[in-house]
Amino acid sequence: MTETTNPSQPDRDGGNETSQSILDFGSAMTRTAHGSVYCLTIIGQIEGHTAASSTAKTTKYEHVLPLLAKLEESEEVDGVLFLLNTVGGDVEAGLAIAELIAGMTKPTVSIVLGGSHSIGVPLAVAARRSFAVPSAAMTIHPVRMSGTVIAAPQTYNYFQRLQERIVAFVSGHSHISPEKFQSLMLQKDDMAADVGSVIYGEEAVRLGIIDHVGGLSDGLTCLYRQIGERKGTN
């Protein structure tokens, strides 16, 4: 049985904490017979050192990083479910979040819903198991920068090294080879005004980027299995 709380009444953990977490961070804690699962959404634009437009939906890395550290240390959390629908955003902020997810010892599952584009690809593969619904889309392209760019060899070298970090992370946390992922980045025929590729749920699984095609029930089943295995070894 799943425990539920009435948002209009204080729960035993104190006040309107569950509904407030959904409003503030797009997150929620669910306690079941299988264990306690924290659900965290990564949506919109991944905001970096520069604030995005006030009209844009964003995921702020300065909020997510300490939250992930807290979840890793919390005795009340057995596993974390990540729901992704992001257009991408700041490369280093996205990589920072992805590295922290990948470094968690708690059971983790990601589900791509809608899309997980650009730097959203490393975020999708960072969990222990990844899922994508059939309609999910993922855009893979070379590193791009906005704003003033100094046209110097050092600048292009920085772009290349940053791109290599992304390729290494994705190939290291999925089943696609660095060479194949690089070729998807540089493909010329798939995007009208840019190089790169747009792939969808089942194709992402065939390529080895995502582990399974599936939705919420599939992701939760996988997460509960991980939780059960972890509890059995402790």
Side-chain angles (χ1 to χ4, degrees):
M1 293 288 292
T2 300
E3 292 184 10
T4 59
T5 57
N6 183 345
S8 64
Q9 297 293 330
D11 58 35
R12 66 188 180 205
D13 292 324
N16 255 342
E17 188 173 346
T18 300
S19 56
Q20 196 61 44
S21 292
I22 295 175
L23 292 173
D24 292 344
F25 301 108
S27 62
M29 179 77 139
T30 304
R31 296 174 177 85
T32 74
H34 301 285
S36 299
V37 171
Y38 193 94
C39 176
L40 179 64
T41 58
I42 298 178
I43 56 94
Q45 181 178 338
I46 308 300
E47 191 176 83
H49 303 303
T50 303
S53 165
S54 60
T55 59
K57 294 282 188 181
T58 62
T59 295
K60 300 179 184 295
Y61 81 105
E62 70 270 26
H63 292 170
V64 177
L65 295 183
L67 175 57
L68 291 175
K70 179 180 179 181
L71 295 178
E72 173 68 11
E73 290 297 307
S74 174
E75 295 181 357
E76 298 178 358
V77 177
D78 295 312
V80 185
L81 177 68
F82 297 94
L83 303 180
L84 284 80
N85 187 16
T86 173
V87 296
D90 187 281
V91 173
E92 291 196 338
L95 272 179
I97 297 172
E99 289 282 11
L100 211 56
I101 294 172
M104 296 179 74
T105 61
K106 293 277 177 76
T108 54
V109 164
S110 65
I111 306 177
V112 179
L113 305 160
S116 190
H117 303 288
S118 191
I119 199 59
V121 178
L123 289 166
V125 305
R128 289 174 178 264
R129 281 289 181 272
S130 58
F131 289 78
V133 296
S135 62
M138 303 176 79
T139 303
I140 302 167
H141 59 70
V143 173
R144 297 180 295 204
M145 291 286 182
S146 60
T148 302
V149 177
I150 300 173
Q154 293 88 341
T155 303
Y156 297 110
N157 183 53
Y158 171 74
F159 282 8
Q160 182 61 37
R161 294 182 68 181
L162 189 56
Q163 189 164 298
E164 289 170 358
R165 288 161 58 190
I166 295 171
V167 172
F169 184 91
V170 173
S171 61
H173 292 86
S174 67
H175 302 290
I176 192 169
S177 69
E179 294 77 18
K180 180 59 178 176
F181 190 73
Q182 183 92 26
S183 71
L184 291 171
M185 271 186 165
L186 302 176
Q187 193 165 300
K188 297 179 180 179
D189 302 325
D190 202 25
M191 296 174 67
D194 199 357
V195 295
S197 304
V198 180
I199 60 175
Y200 298 91
E202 293 180 355
E203 185 180 5
V205 174
R206 286 199 306 270
L207 290 167
I209 298 173
I210 297 297
D211 293 321
H212 310 283
V213 174
L216 181 59
S217 61
D218 303 295
L220 284 173
T221 299
C222 180
L223 189 59
Y224 291 145
R225 187 183 307 118
Q226 290 183 49
I227 291 171
E229 291 171 353
R230 189 168 192 260
K231 286 182 175 180
T233 59
N234 288 342

